[in-house]
Amino acid sequence: MLVTGHTGFKGAWLTLWLRSLGADVTGLSGPPPTAPSLFELARVGELCADRRGDVRDADAVLQAVRAARPEVVFHLAAQSIVRASLDDPAGTYETNVLGTAHVLGAAGDAAVVCVTSDKCYAPGDRPHREGDPLGGRDPYSASKAAQELVAAAHREALGGRVATARAGNVIGGGDWARDRLLPDLVRARDSGEPVVLRHPDAVRPWQHVLGPLAGYLLLAERLAGSPEFASAWNFGPAGTDARPVRWIVDRVRERWPLDVRTDPPREDVEAPALRLDASAARERLGWAPRLDLPAALDATVSWHDQVRAGADARTVTLTQIEEAA
Ligand SMILES: NC(=O)c1ccc[n+]([C@@H]2O[C@H](COP(=O)([O-])OP(=O)(O)OC[C@H]3O[C@@H](n4cnc5c(N)ncnc54)[C@H](O)[C@@H]3O)[C@@H](O)[C@H]2O)c1
């Protein structure tokens, strides 16, 4: 298996899960995007062939694929932060769009699960289905919509066995990314500084990282067996788990003392509500989210409490994988 983005939040969880299933994993990524990181704390580099390379470099991607000779490629490497994409739109497109073209171009006959985002859709009122129009009102979202187009063209014109996976607002232990809600709450708890909510009423389909990762694994298995699964798939929680930011913060405050402030409302690119319809994945792949939202929040808070108290991050993560698998 080849996992791009294995030094990131989801890639580190995925690499640990694949290794616990006995898979050989090669990782191709830049450095861990945060300090601390799950990758470092759980010593994920010891468990895989840990290659460092830039997906914007076609030759580096080709060399990694040649070395790994993978049956399956999980492509997660990305500039993954909306606000960073406002500062560097071109860099975001280079990594997310050109990088995807390089990965698909190098993958040959391998099945590719290409991870995009629920943000690839044009804003709409009802839960998004896979056939809905693509869009994106900020560079990150547009890059994820473009990644979808690149994958579809590769599949349709070049015969590549590629599926895309659209999920969003993933939570779980070991995420310290900037400008994401749960990592902001973790930092606020650790520092005692106030946490400022920018969009308290924004509704998001929150889900534990193990939900979409279970979807990527199922999709890879089906895709390796049959090209009929080479299409786009939503992985989202039950409708009741699409909740406003404020609801999440109130639940976490029951466990952690947090000083919460709210920015004055302002116009910007954040959509007020975003929901996914994952019925295709449920019906055709037999997928279901692993944890409902209260359980997902509990697992996330517990992960950080245990690691802060000195528990080994790899053990805590593998235990949560085993409990939810
Ligand atoms: N975490 C979420 O809530 C979420 C939601 C929707 C979609 N996604 C998507 O899931 C994937 C993984 O997200 P994450 O949260 O783990 O992101 P992350 O920021 O934690 O990790 C990103 C990974 O990509 C690598 N990377 C970045 N630029 C690179 C480059 N030019 N060349 C090689 N590697 C590079 C980093 O080194 C890191 O390993 C991304 O494609 C992201 O867009 C994440």
Side-chain angles (χ1 to χ4, degrees), residues 98-161:
L98 191 61
T100 296
H102 290 156
V103 170
L104 296 179
D109 295 336
V112 184
V113 175
C114 181
V115 174
T116 69
S117 171
D118 58 357
K119 290 194 159 61
C120 69
Y121 289 109
D125 294 337
R126 60 178 176 76
H128 293 295
R129 294 206 178 131
E130 286 85 347
D132 285 355
L134 298 173
R137 296 171 63 213
D138 61 85
Y140 171 76
S141 303
S143 79
K144 288 287 162 179
Q147 199 179 359
E148 286 284 343
L149 293 175
V150 169
H154 189 78
R155 181 165 62 228
E156 281 156 33
L158 302 170
R161 193 172 282 213

Side-chain angles (χ1 to χ4, degrees), residues 45-247:
E46 295 170 3
L47 299 175
C48 63
D50 176 18
R51 291 180 75 104
R52 297 303 161 89
D54 195 317
V55 294
R56 293 172 293 184
D57 176 352
D59 196 50
V61 175
L62 192 58
Q63 296 307 325
V65 172
R66 283 195 179 140
R69 300 163 59 87
E71 286 173 24
V72 174
V73 178
F74 295 95
H75 176 42
L76 283 77
Q79 192 300 94
S80 68
I81 306 292
V82 172
R83 292 233 288 193
S85 81
L86 305 177
D87 294 334
D88 185 12
T92 300
Y93 296 128
E94 280 174 6
T95 292
N96 295 4
V97 188
L98 191 61
T100 296
H102 290 156
V103 170
L104 296 179
D109 295 336
V112 184
V113 175
C114 181
V115 174
T116 69
S117 171
D118 58 357
K119 290 194 159 61
C120 69
Y121 289 109
D125 294 337
R126 60 178 176 76
H128 293 295
R129 294 206 178 131
E130 286 85 347
D132 285 355
L134 298 173
R137 296 171 63 213
D138 61 85
Y140 171 76
S141 303
S143 79
K144 288 287 162 179
Q147 199 179 359
E148 286 284 343
L149 293 175
V150 169
H154 189 78
R155 181 165 62 228
E156 281 156 33
L158 302 170
R161 193 172 282 213
V162 50
T164 56
R166 303 167 178 176
N169 300 279
V170 175
I171 63 173
D175 189 6
W176 280 275
R178 281 182 302 138
D179 297 323
R180 286 186 189 157
L181 179 61
L182 264 295
D184 284 348
L185 300 184
V186 170
R187 276 184 287 272
R189 189 221 33 185
D190 289 348
S191 67
E193 299 282 316
V195 60
V196 181
L197 304 183
R198 291 184 304 273
H199 302 282
D201 300 317
V203 174
R204 294 289 177 265
W206 311 97
Q207 57 187 332
H208 193 266
V209 61
L210 290 171
L213 294 191
Y216 306 164
L217 294 177
L218 259 179
L219 188 51
E221 195 184 326
R222 301 280 199 282
L223 192 60
S226 165
E228 75 178 274
F229 295 97
S231 57
W233 299 87
N234 286 342
F235 295 103
T240 48
D241 285 345
R243 295 280 190 175
V245 164
R246 195 189 301 280
W247 189 92

